[in-house]
Amino acid sequence: MVKFLKPNKAVILLQGRYAGRKAVIIKSFDDGTRERPYGHCLVAGIKKYPSKVIRKDSSKKTAKKSRVKAFIKLVNYQHLMPTRYTLDVDLKDIVAADSLQTKDKKVTAAKETKKRFEERFKTGKNRWFFTKLRVYSYNHVVFAIDWCLEIGIEDLDFT
Amino acid sequence: MVATKKTKKTHESINNRLALVMKSGKFTLGYKTVLRSLRNSKGKLIIISNNCPPLRKSEIEYYAMLAKIGVHHYNGNNVDLGTACGKYFRVSCLSIVDPGDSDIIKTLPGDH
């Protein structure tokens, strides 16, 4: 009986343009608002994951490969898959409920989030968050492989 | 290692307890509402039938692990679970929100 859809929780988006992307909950609205009368939350996620950086990359290449593109979105709880991971990045001051109202506020918030994400990626912590979720399609059904490994199914009967 | 076989007696007592919950408590039936009750932590116990698809079963167990809510694997399929709930339809998973007069919450979750 523990609430787990709390700020700093890492989640995976299940629907929409950003399906399959990992995100972190910034603010949750459990009882909804007047415009959205359902449980939803404000998430900041990764639009474009950083590429794999290897040791023999030059510093210019490393800088280019570690770039992250971020997005901010209000998502219904039904379109999220919560995970057991958390991401401790302080995004409350840059992303607020009103950041999504105008385009330029959204862009500045996304740019700041991108910066914070890139800093966190460079420290090498929260590696799970910055790796792409491996997804493949089998008979028109899409399964998330490392999602299944995460929840402990090794052998699925695809019916 | 001897496999623990659920005796007929405990199975009947689960059915009795479930019937009491249906009469006096609050519950929701079905996958969507089970997830909803897990998300807002209103559920106290989740019961899953044995023929629930394994991906769905694991998903419910994962949510329940995050929410620290007990999960009971019912010894019967969705037809049996529906009958145990007194319904004329199949029930694959259900969530007990308020057990009413029943002690099902105290006696069941030794089982995960």
Side-chain angles (χ1 to χ4, degrees), chain A residues 2-155:
Chain A
V2 168
K3 247 178 57 73
F4 51 88
L5 287 170
K6 291 205 280 219
N8 292 331
K9 188 69 147 166
V11 295
I12 301 181
L13 266 60
L14 297 173
Q15 304 276 9
R17 193 158 49 117
Y18 298 117
R21 304 277 201 274
K22 298 182 187 169
V24 60
I25 296 181
I26 301 176
K27 190 162 188 332
S28 59
F29 305 93
D30 283 335
D31 300 312
T33 58
R34 216 148 48 84
E35 288 91 34
R36 286 175 177 255
Y38 46 80
H40 62 286
C41 53
L42 184 59
V43 298
I46 303 184
K47 200 192 257 189
K48 187 147 163 230
Y49 289 91
S51 335
K52 209 172 222 85
V53 175
I54 47 180
R55 209 148 58 99
K56 66 178 202 170
D57 284 335
S58 64
S59 65
K60 234 181 19 169
K61 240 195 169 152
T62 319
K64 208 156 194 205
K65 279 188 178 180
S66 325
R67 285 195 304 201
V68 171
K69 196 149 164 64
F71 67 87
I72 305 175
K73 195 169 165 49
L74 280 172
V75 194
N76 189 346
Y77 281 160
Q78 284 194 334
H79 304 148
L80 293 177
M81 181 75 208
T83 67
R84 60 181 164 90
Y85 299 97
T86 55
L87 187 74
D88 246 326
V89 177
D90 191 21
L91 291 169
K92 272 199 296 272
D93 44 338
I94 22 175
V95 182
D98 64 339
S99 301
L100 290 171
Q101 268 157 13
T102 63
K103 188 87 193 268
D104 39 302
K105 269 199 221 168
K106 194 164 158 184
V107 166
T108 45
K111 283 212 175 110
E112 263 301 315
T113 335
K114 167 195 158 78
K115 228 179 279 181
R116 304 266 172 103
F117 277 168
E118 277 178 6
E119 283 170 12
R120 185 50 71 91
F121 174 65
K122 289 192 183 126
T123 64
K125 297 208 275 222
N126 304 119
R127 202 161 290 192
W128 179 85
F129 187 76
F130 292 103
T131 49
K132 222 195 265 213
L133 190 67
R134 290 174 317 161
V135 174
Y136 80 112
S137 177
Y138 179 85
N139 279 350
H140 310 290
V141 181
V142 178
F143 278 87
I145 298 186
D146 48 79
W147 179 244
C148 293
L149 292 176
E150 160 79 38
I151 56 182
I153 306 180
E154 267 103 42
D155 121 82

Side-chain angles (χ1 to χ4, degrees), chain B residues 32-48:
Chain B
K32 269 171 88 169
T33 56
V34 162
L35 286 191
R36 207 175 287 167
S37 73
L38 283 166
R39 267 184 220 118
N40 54 20
S41 315
K42 290 268 168 54
K44 307 256 179 349
L45 177 66
I46 312 290
I47 301 181
I48 308 182

